[in-house]
Structure formats: C-alpha cells, structure tokens
Amino acid sequence: FAVGEVKESLIILDFVMDSKVAEECIRNADDVDEATEQILLQLFDIGAIKFGNFTLKSGVQSPIYIDLRVIVSFPDLLKAIAEKMYKLVQANGVKFDVICGVPYTALPVATAMSMLHGKPMVMRRKEVKKYGTKKIIEGIFKEGQTCLVIEDLITSGMSVMETTGPLNDVG
C-alpha cells in the first residue's frame, strides 16, 4: 500500500498488501499533517477503510472502499472530519452563505460543520414527497445565495451533480 497523493482530503491509494502495511504507510506519509493522520488512523481503526475488490457507484473497480457511514457512531471523529473539511474550505478562501450535504453520507458532516460554525444548512431530498411541502430542497435560503456542497468521497462527481442541479433550479 502506498499513499500516492493527499489533496483536499482525497486519498489516492496505489496498492494494498495488508492492513498492517496500510497502517504503517498512513503513519509515515510525508504530506499528511497530524490532524489528517489522526483522522485516517481512526477511520482505519473503526473499519471504515476496507480492502478488497469493490465496485463503486460510478462502476469503477477499486481495491479500497472508504465507508464513512459509520462515522455517525463516533461523534469525536465526525467532529474532527467536519473541522478538517471546514478548515480546508477556509484555507482556500471559499465564501458561502449556506451548507448542503449530499445525501446521505455527507449529511452528518454538513450538519456538524453547520452547528460548529453557525452556518445555515439546507437539505436536498433524494426524492420529492407527494405530500407536505413537496420540496426537493428543505430549509431557509434566499435566491442568489452561495451554497457550499459537502460530499464525503468523490469518484465520478455524479452525486454532487445530483445535488447541485436541484439547488440551482431553486435559486
């Protein structure tokens, strides 16, 4: 296993031998700061980083699967991930008015970021309900506001586009 590159919380893994080697590589990666290293090690410890042969939503085959659905059971880790993502956004000078997490896995991260930093949040439904308000975007926002879209992992960008489309449609 070798860490090829760490860039804006995207980890590209080149080769997987076994989990002990993987853990050692995470610990020894040169371009990973201490906070990111701790997040990676915790993800590894809770079984969120899985090795094998996986088919991703995009159809791409991968020797690694990162299952961030489990972080909802680890509030300190969820908070650390939300803080790391928020710091990356701030460090890159991104200005925004509201936050929206891509359903479903990114919703807890977006919620944590919203709560930790007092930023309003909106939510995209995967499907429009046939009752109630029948909205695809829930929450309070104004036309023309800038929305920061949070995604847990990106391979093809398909899920992000499924969220940005309806956001753009409503303003």
Side-chain angles (χ1 to χ4, degrees):
F1 162 152
V3 175
E5 177 180 342
V6 175
K7 195 175 221 178
E8 295 182 296
S9 76
L10 173 65
I11 304 156
I12 300 168
L13 300 162
D14 297 320
F15 179 70
V16 178
M17 289 169 39
D18 66 38
S19 57
K20 287 286 185 202
V21 173
E23 186 173 356
E24 189 61 29
C25 286
I26 290 169
R27 290 186 188 282
N28 293 324
D30 291 335
D31 54 354
V32 176
D33 63 40
E34 187 175 331
T36 301
E37 178 182 319
Q38 288 307 308
I39 288 169
L40 289 170
L41 290 171
Q42 288 176 53
L43 288 170
F44 184 78
D45 288 344
I46 66 170
I49 300 175
K50 301 176 185 314
F51 304 104
N53 187 23
F54 303 95
T55 303
L56 305 179
K57 179 180 178 178
S58 63
V60 172
Q61 295 292 306
S62 175
I64 186 164
Y65 184 77
I66 302 174
D67 182 7
L68 294 181
R69 288 169 195 81
V70 299
I71 65 173
V72 297
S73 298
F74 300 89
D76 290 339
L77 179 56
L78 173 59
K79 180 180 177 183
I81 290 169
E83 283 293 346
K84 181 67 178 173
M85 290 181 80
Y86 195 86
K87 286 178 183 175
L88 283 169
V89 168
Q90 294 299 319
N92 285 286
V94 177
K95 304 291 183 211
F96 60 95
D97 302 302
V98 297
I99 298 172
C100 182
V102 173
Y104 288 104
T105 308
L107 288 173
V109 176
T111 301
M113 290 171 72
S114 171
M115 293 176 68
L116 290 167
H117 297 281
K119 286 289 192 176
M121 184 175 151
V122 296
M123 193 171 67
R124 178 184 74 86
R125 291 183 173 276
K126 276 202 161 203
E127 64 287 322
V128 177
K129 301 293 183 188
K130 295 181 182 186
Y131 54 86
T133 63
K134 302 178 185 176
K135 294 180 181 179
I136 192 152
I137 304 296
E138 298 287 353
I140 305 299
F141 59 92
K142 295 176 187 154
E143 189 173 334
Q145 286 185 309
T146 301
C147 184
L148 174 67
V149 176
I150 303 298
E151 175 62 301
D152 61 323
L153 295 169
I154 298 174
T155 53
S156 69
M158 189 180 336
S159 296
V160 172
M161 297 307 289
E162 291 169 355
T163 296
T164 58
L167 284 167
N168 287 325
D169 290 346
V170 297

